[in-house]
Amino acid sequence: MKAIGFKKSLPITEANSFIAFETEIPKPEGRDLLVRIQANSVNPVDYKIRQNAAKDKILETPKIIGWDAVGIIKAVGAEVSLFKTGDAVFYAGDLTRSGSNAEYQLVDERIVGHKPKNLSIAEAAAMPLTGLTAYEAIFDRIKYNPETDKGKSVLILAGAGGVGSIAIQLAKKLTDLTVIATASREESQKWCSDLGADFVVNHHNLKDELKEIGFTEIDFILDFVDLKQYWETAAELIKPQGHIVSITGSSEPLNLNILKNKSVTFSWELMYTRSMYHTADMQRQHDILNKLANLLDDGTLKTTRTTTFTGFTVENLKKAHALQESGKSIGKNVIVF
């Protein structure tokens, strides 16, 4: 099969930042599905791993990254019970295994969902990783409760990004929260408004703009951009007994003491946790993806795909990474094989 990977972490402009090569089609065992990939999408995790996985060494065999994928099951392991050969599926994969920048991939059935029937492969490929991340942030980390959280506020940092784009929709359609998103450019502000955000504020003047719309405190803050940059601001804005969730990590240790007097809850969200550690509730991602598929099929949610590259080539993968690294990407960038 054809695959695209890298042996050394290089700037995306370098000739060998990605290389195409041939490798064996893997064989499914246990609960694995062998998926013939039809499309995938690029996320920040892709370029971050590309930039750091082989900084000071040259790998013997190219590393295959990429996780979001849509495809058809071609073979199943002996213990598979949730799917059958021929099923159309979508998923976000597992950081510890070979990625979706290949014609075939193995993936555990417990982190796979049935592809939304009413979406094209490109539209569906945009949704798994960001959908899982946003859903888990709201319902597994904050643990949104319709009885006690009705009327509360949520601030979504980086509303026009991949995760923010689906988080706005989930928060608006599945909760009774007032949804506030951050965006600075006219096109990204419109994007957030069109997705249903009640308010869109400029993150360059965050506290003042929140005050202008009547919010000096926020119940829930979802950080999808740069936790270190917003940490002190978030600690100031969060309400007593509020909840902050971040997906971004921090290059420096965070001062959790500034949350103490308010008894604020802080949570990390990494949608790979369940697959990395084979948690007891690993199959919840299968259930979430199927729920997202139903919401996409009935029109409650809409795809966040904005850019499509046609052809599984080194050139297209480089273009997708360059766009993602630019910081100006809105929604999701998809590659159709």
Side-chain angles (χ1 to χ4, degrees), residues 33-283:
L33 311 173
L34 176 66
V35 179
R36 174 67 165 89
I37 296 174
Q38 297 172 305
N40 66 10
S41 66
V42 176
N43 297 277
V45 65
D46 293 67
Y47 76 77
K48 290 176 182 177
I49 291 179
R50 194 203 81 245
Q51 290 173 343
N52 294 288
K55 291 180 71 171
D56 302 313
K57 57 185 176 181
I58 299 177
L59 305 175
E60 289 187 12
T61 57
K63 182 176 180 62
I64 303 171
I65 61 173
W67 290 277
D68 271 336
V70 168
I72 303 295
I73 297 174
K74 292 300 182 182
V76 300
E79 298 172 23
V80 167
S81 62
L82 303 174
F83 298 93
K84 65 182 184 303
T85 300
D87 283 348
V89 295
F90 75 150
Y91 55 89
D94 179 344
L95 276 180
T96 67
R97 306 186 73 176
S98 187
S100 62
N101 290 333
E103 291 179 323
Y104 292 87
Q105 182 185 16
L106 292 179
V107 61
D108 190 298
E109 66 169 346
R110 289 170 289 183
I111 59 172
V112 175
H114 291 279
K115 172 192 169 293
K117 295 181 177 63
N118 295 335
L119 268 61
S120 69
I121 57 174
E123 291 169 334
M127 303 311 297
L129 188 150
T130 54
L132 284 167
T133 300
Y135 195 96
E136 289 183 356
I138 296 169
F139 298 103
D140 292 6
R141 307 302 168 228
I142 289 176
K143 293 181 169 61
Y144 170 80
N145 184 327
E147 295 183 3
T148 58
D149 295 330
K150 183 177 181 178
K152 291 184 177 181
S153 55
V154 59
L155 175 63
I156 298 174
L157 299 174
V163 181
S165 295
I166 187 64
I168 290 172
Q169 296 184 70
L170 288 171
K172 190 61 184 173
K173 296 296 181 67
L174 302 188
T175 79
D176 290 310
L177 297 172
T178 297
V179 181
I180 308 167
T182 70
S184 60
R185 292 176 291 136
E186 184 177 346
E187 59 268 35
S188 55
Q189 290 173 345
K190 183 179 185 302
W191 173 260
C192 293
S193 294
D194 290 347
L195 290 176
D198 295 297
F199 301 98
V200 182
V201 295
N202 192 323
H203 55 266
H204 293 304
N205 193 27
L206 184 55
K207 288 188 288 186
D208 288 343
E209 293 214 0
L210 284 171
K211 189 174 181 179
E212 285 181 13
I213 61 172
F215 291 88
T216 56
E217 292 181 314
I218 300 291
D219 293 287
F220 306 120
I221 297 177
L222 302 179
D223 163 54
F224 299 146
V225 58
D226 185 346
L227 184 59
K228 180 61 181 174
Q229 177 184 343
Y230 288 98
W231 183 242
E232 291 185 0
T233 301
E236 184 178 342
L237 288 171
I238 196 72
K239 278 188 179 180
Q241 301 186 106
H243 199 142
I244 300 171
V245 180
S246 177
I247 69 171
T248 63
S250 175
S251 58
E252 300 175 15
L254 297 173
N255 178 14
L256 290 176
N257 288 330
I258 61 178
L259 305 181
K260 179 179 181 296
N261 288 349
K262 290 184 179 180
S263 298
V264 170
T265 300
F266 173 72
S267 300
W268 294 114
E269 159 56 24
L270 180 66
M271 57 125 296
Y272 293 114
T273 296
R274 286 180 162 118
S275 56
M276 287 174 70
Y277 296 98
H278 281 234
T279 60
D281 65 348
M282 183 173 168
Q283 193 166 313

